[in-house]
Amino acid sequence: MASIPTPSHSIQTTNTSRTNFPCLPINKPIHKKLHICLNKSSLRVESCSTPNYNDVVVDEEMDKIRRLQNGSDVRGVALQGEKGRSVDLTPPAVEAIAESFGEWVISGLEKEKDVRVSLGKDPRISGNMLSVAVFAGLSRAGCVVFDMGLATTPACFMSTILPPFEYDASIMMTASHLPYTRNGLKFFTKKGGLTSPEVEEICDKAARKYANRFAKVSTTLPITPTMVDFMSAYAEHLRDIIKDRVNHPFHYATPLTGFQDSEARSAWGDKELGELRAALETVLWEKANHAVQVKQSGSRINQLNTEISGVRERNKIVAGELVTYRDLLTDTRREIAALTAAKSEDERHAATYREDATTSHIMARDISMAVEQKLIRAIEHARAEEKRETLEELGARGIDLSDDLKEARAVEERLELLISLDKGEDNSDEE
């Protein structure tokens, strides 16, 4: 029987060195690219862990990043010690997410240079380690990075709008109320926090980057982050708001004077704190009610001033009409003087005609009295008409003067009747 030659097998494995982050074991399988060469006499398998960024990657690797999304945040396990959970928020993952966020911000602003991004964090022990990954990712994206150190979530958003900082975007590293082993990222722009679809888009890009790289993050940053003391400026901003809103009448610059520290508050007990809180609320309500009353009084005063201005304008018109009446009275007096002269002339003629003297005198007196009476009635009628119009105007503005208006109308009607009777008598005399 002919012997079948046994082929020889040669396996060569080349593994490049991997840099893992200190104190953070990463159980990430190495995806090796296999080159298999077959011939009749030999089989050689070459394995290389050097990444090729154009290779198609396994969905499982990408899902590791996608699973970190928690609504509009990124949350994960950053430290070992949590039963049943392995570390998934690793520096390489954070670097990929930070880089994708930086690229997203740059794309939205449509500028490639001087895109400024700040980072704040809470006191979690994983914060310093993951901050390096954030700085590396943002720098890789081309952003200028600013380290605010310990900060609050509202402070990170305010750093995008509070002068002179006004960063283009900000990241807050926190996991809120979750255990110390957890950590996470919150993202902000000048418009506010990112939405869930926006974070999903960023995580999807980060998943591709993560799956096509070594499971490591470079500790050598191309651009050193700039340390900024934003919290002092933010605290001063909040103090100014408190001073302005409290507006304490005695110590404006220190509106919380009289409040005790935490130990003293504990000594006071709930009862004392409740009384203090009730007293403060009472003062604030009184100030608010006073402000409302002042505003209402101001509105009423303005309304009254407007009405007074209207009355003054009307008085000016009435004064002008009175001048006209005075001129009319002067003309009437001149007429009376002329009539008196005529009377005198008649009396001189009566001397000649002695028998008619008495009759002429009576006629002249009657004429004079009639004219004077008509003039007086005309003036009284004009005044009554003016008074009635003024009362009607005030009544239209909401002032109740119905009794006075009724009386004024009665006087005006009576005078009109007398004038009408005078005209009737004049017509009879002419006939």
Side-chain angles (χ1 to χ4, degrees), residues 318 320-330 378-379 382-383 385-386:
V318 172
E321 293 177 351
L322 288 176
V323 171
T324 303
Y325 293 143
R326 289 193 187 99
D327 294 340
L328 178 61
L329 181 59
T330 301
I379 293 173
R383 289 177 178 174
E385 183 181 8
E386 178 64 22

Side-chain angles (χ1 to χ4, degrees), residues 199-320:
V199 176
E200 181 179 0
E201 177 185 351
I202 292 171
C203 287
D204 185 67
K205 293 180 180 179
R208 298 180 184 276
K209 297 178 186 296
Y210 175 80
N212 283 283
R213 288 183 186 164
F214 283 116
K216 68 176 184 177
V217 60
S218 175
T219 57
T220 303
L221 301 178
I223 301 176
T224 304
T226 302
M227 300 292 295
V228 292
D229 184 15
F230 175 77
M231 291 306 296
S232 295
Y234 181 50
E236 183 66 26
H237 173 69
L238 294 178
R239 282 195 294 270
D240 291 340
I241 294 176
I242 293 173
K243 289 188 291 186
D244 180 67
R245 299 294 174 83
V246 174
N247 193 21
H248 201 287
F250 302 113
H251 33 82
Y252 175 84
T254 56
L256 300 183
T257 298
F259 285 81
Q260 306 296 319
D261 56 19
S262 57
E263 294 182 359
R265 287 198 298 270
S266 298
W268 279 11
D270 295 338
K271 180 179 179 180
E272 290 77 4
L273 285 176
E275 293 176 353
L276 180 59
R277 186 178 297 108
L280 180 59
E281 291 177 353
T282 301
V283 172
L284 292 177
W285 274 111
E286 289 177 353
K287 289 176 70 66
N289 291 333
H290 178 69
V292 172
Q293 293 175 0
V294 170
K295 184 177 181 180
Q296 292 176 349
S297 299
S299 300
R300 179 56 180 165
I301 291 172
N302 292 335
Q303 181 180 358
L304 291 175
N305 288 335
T306 302
E307 293 178 358
I308 291 172
S309 298
V311 172
R312 287 175 179 172
E313 292 296 328
R314 185 59 184 170
N315 288 339
K316 291 180 181 179
I317 296 174
V318 172

Side-chain angles (χ1 to χ4, degrees), residues 58-231:
V58 182
D59 289 341
E60 181 181 356
E61 292 297 307
M62 299 175 64
D63 288 340
K64 290 182 179 180
I65 301 297
R66 294 192 179 105
R67 284 194 294 266
L68 293 175
Q69 182 187 0
N70 182 22
S72 59
D73 301 341
V74 168
R75 296 283 175 86
V77 179
L79 295 175
Q80 290 183 341
E82 189 171 339
K83 185 177 181 180
R85 291 292 299 269
S86 59
V87 175
D88 52 7
L89 190 66
T90 61
V94 171
E95 180 187 13
I97 294 172
E99 180 183 356
S100 298
F101 174 65
E103 293 174 349
W104 183 85
V105 173
I106 293 173
S107 175
L109 295 177
E110 297 182 353
K111 64 178 183 178
E112 298 180 357
K113 294 183 179 180
D114 299 329
V115 174
R116 304 159 68 242
V117 181
S118 63
L119 171 68
K121 62 178 181 293
D122 64 14
R124 293 174 182 268
I125 57 178
S126 61
N128 291 335
M129 174 180 64
L130 297 181
S131 293
V132 177
V134 172
F135 296 145
L138 292 174
S139 298
R140 186 192 292 267
C143 299
V144 181
V145 186
F146 295 85
D147 183 6
M148 298 194 302
L150 292 179
T152 63
T153 299
C156 285
F157 168 68
M158 289 298 296
S159 70
T160 66
I161 60 176
L162 187 64
F165 302 93
E166 298 175 309
Y167 301 123
D168 296 303
S170 183
I171 298 176
M172 176 62 189
M173 185 179 297
T174 181
S176 301
H177 60 284
L178 297 180
Y180 77 97
T181 55
R182 305 287 184 93
N183 216 329
L185 302 173
K186 292 178 177 289
F187 307 96
F188 299 95
T189 65
K190 296 180 184 294
K191 298 179 180 179
L194 269 63
T195 63
S196 294
E198 291 171 338
V199 176
E200 181 179 0
E201 177 185 351
I202 292 171
C203 287
D204 185 67
K205 293 180 180 179
R208 298 180 184 276
K209 297 178 186 296
Y210 175 80
N212 283 283
R213 288 183 186 164
F214 283 116
K216 68 176 184 177
V217 60
S218 175
T219 57
T220 303
L221 301 178
I223 301 176
T224 304
T226 302
M227 300 292 295
V228 292
D229 184 15
F230 175 77
M231 291 306 296

Side-chain angles (χ1 to χ4, degrees), residues 19 21 26 29 50 54 94 134 165 181 215 217 220 315 324 336 349 369 383 413 416:
T19 304
F21 226 79
I26 301 174
T50 303
N54 296 321
V94 171
V134 172
F165 302 93
T181 55
V217 60
T220 303
N315 288 339
T324 303
I336 293 174
H349 288 289
M369 291 178 63
R383 289 177 178 174
E413 291 174 358
E416 287 177 351

